[in-house]
C-alpha cells in the first residue's frame, strides 16, 4: 500500500467542483437561456417581413387546388415548406383581392417573438396564423380559416347551418341545392 504524497496529489480545482455542483449547473443553464433570449429579442421579425411571409403562404395555399381538402398533417407540411420557399405568382389575382376584402391580418410584436392574427367575420377576435421567432416566420394557418366570399349562413330563422364545400370549380351564382338543410324531417334535396 502506497502513501499518497501531498505534492503529487492535486485536486481537480475549484472551478470543476463549482461546475459539477447544483448551483453551478443551474448557473450554466441560466446563462445559456439568457443568451438565447438575447438573440431572440434581437432577431424578432419586423411587421413588414411578417406580412410578406404570411401573404406568400396565403398565395401558395390559394394556388394549391388540394388546400381546401387538406387535413392537419397536410397543413403542417405545407406550412413547414412555405417557411423556406416563395410563391412565384398567383394563378388568379382576383382571389387575393377577394381574400383581403373579407380578411384582415394584423401583426403583434412581442419582446422575444411576434405573432400575426387573421380577423374576419368568423373570427372577429382573430386567430393566430403565424409566429415569428429568430428571424424566421412560421405560418400556422389553413384554408378553412379564410373567408373568401360572404353569403347566407342559414336559409331561415332557427334552421341548420348550410355547409358548402369549395371544390375549386365555379358553381355559378344562385345555385339551388334543394332543401338540404332539412334532412332530419325527411325533406332532403327536395324529395318528399
Amino acid at each position: 500500500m502506497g502513501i499518497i504524497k501531498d505534492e503529487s496529489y492535486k485536486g481537480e480545482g475549484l472551478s470543476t467542483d463549482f461546475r459539477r455542483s447544483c448551483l453551478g449547473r443551474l448557473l450554466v443553464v441560466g446563462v445559456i437561456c439568457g443568451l438565447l433570449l438575447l438573440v431572440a429579442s434581437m432577431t424578432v421579425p419586423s411587421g413588414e417581413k411578417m406580412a410578406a411571409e404570411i401573404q406568400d403562404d396565403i398565395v401558395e395555399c390559394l394556388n394549391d387546388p388540394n388546400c381546401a381538402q387538406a387535413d392537419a398533417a397536410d397543413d403542417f407540411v405545407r406550412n413547414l415548406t412555405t417557411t423556406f420557399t416563395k410563391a412565384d405568382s398567383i394563378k388568379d389575382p382576383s382571389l387575393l383581392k377577394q381574400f383581403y376584402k373579407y380578411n384582415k391580418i394584423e401583426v403583434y410584436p412581442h419582446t422575444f417573438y411576434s405573432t400575426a392574427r387573421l380577423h374576419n367575420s368568423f373570427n372577429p377576435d382573430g386567430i393566430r396564423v403565424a409566429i415569428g421567432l429568430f428571424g424566421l416566420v412560421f405560418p400556422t394557418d389553413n384554408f378553412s380559416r379564410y373567408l373568401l366570399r360572404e353569403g347566407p349562413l342559414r336559409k331561415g330563422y332557427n334552421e341548420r347551418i348550410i355547409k358548402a364545400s369549395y371544390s375549386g370549380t365555379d358553381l355559378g351564382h344562385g345555385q339551388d341545392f334543394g332543401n338540404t338543410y332539412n334532412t332530419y324531417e325527411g325533406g332532403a334535396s327536395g324529395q318528399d
Side-chain angles (χ1 to χ4, degrees):
M1 187 108 131
I3 298 175
I4 298 175
K5 297 181 182 177
D6 288 336
E7 300 92 37
S8 65
Y9 177 74
K10 294 181 182 171
E12 294 180 4
L14 193 57
S15 65
T16 304
D17 289 341
F18 180 72
R19 280 193 318 256
R20 289 183 179 169
S21 70
C22 183
L23 179 63
R25 290 179 181 180
L26 286 175
L27 187 64
V28 168
V29 169
V31 167
I32 291 172
C33 289
L35 288 174
L36 283 175
L37 290 175
L38 179 67
V39 170
S41 68
M42 292 178 5
T43 59
V44 172
S46 66
E48 294 83 20
K49 181 175 181 176
M50 290 283 292
E53 293 288 331
I54 291 302
Q55 180 170 331
D56 181 63
D57 185 56
I58 291 166
V59 166
E60 287 193 29
C61 188
L62 292 175
N63 281 339
D64 185 9
N66 298 324
C67 195
Q69 289 85 20
D71 61 356
D74 293 334
D75 286 330
F76 175 77
V77 171
R78 184 186 50 80
N79 285 329
L80 186 64
T81 57
T82 58
T83 302
F84 304 105
T85 60
K86 295 276 184 209
D88 294 333
S89 62
I90 186 164
K91 293 177 185 175
D92 185 7
S94 66
L95 278 176
L96 195 59
K97 288 180 185 176
Q98 193 172 356
F99 174 83
Y100 282 112
K101 180 179 179 182
Y102 299 116
N103 301 282
K104 180 180 177 185
I105 295 177
E106 292 184 356
V107 177
Y108 299 96
H110 303 281
T111 306
F112 303 112
Y113 63 97
S114 59
T115 57
R117 296 182 74 81
L118 174 74
H119 299 272
N120 55 32
S121 60
F122 285 146
N123 302 303
D125 293 333
I127 189 163
R128 188 188 69 230
V129 293
I131 299 170
L133 183 68
F134 293 114
L136 295 173
V137 178
F138 301 100
T140 60
D141 66 339
N142 60 33
F143 188 83
S144 64
R145 296 177 180 169
Y146 303 158
L147 182 61
L148 297 177
R149 66 182 69 85
E150 286 186 341
L153 188 61
R154 302 172 191 268
K155 285 191 176 182
Y157 177 74
N158 204 19
E159 293 178 359
R160 294 176 63 180
I161 294 174
I162 300 170
K163 295 208 179 205
S165 62
Y166 175 74
S167 64
T169 58
D170 186 19
L171 299 174
H173 298 288
Q175 292 282 333
D176 184 18
F177 294 107
N179 193 9
T180 58
Y181 65 89
N182 204 8
T183 58
Y184 60 92
E185 291 181 5
S189 301
Q191 299 172 357
D192 290 307

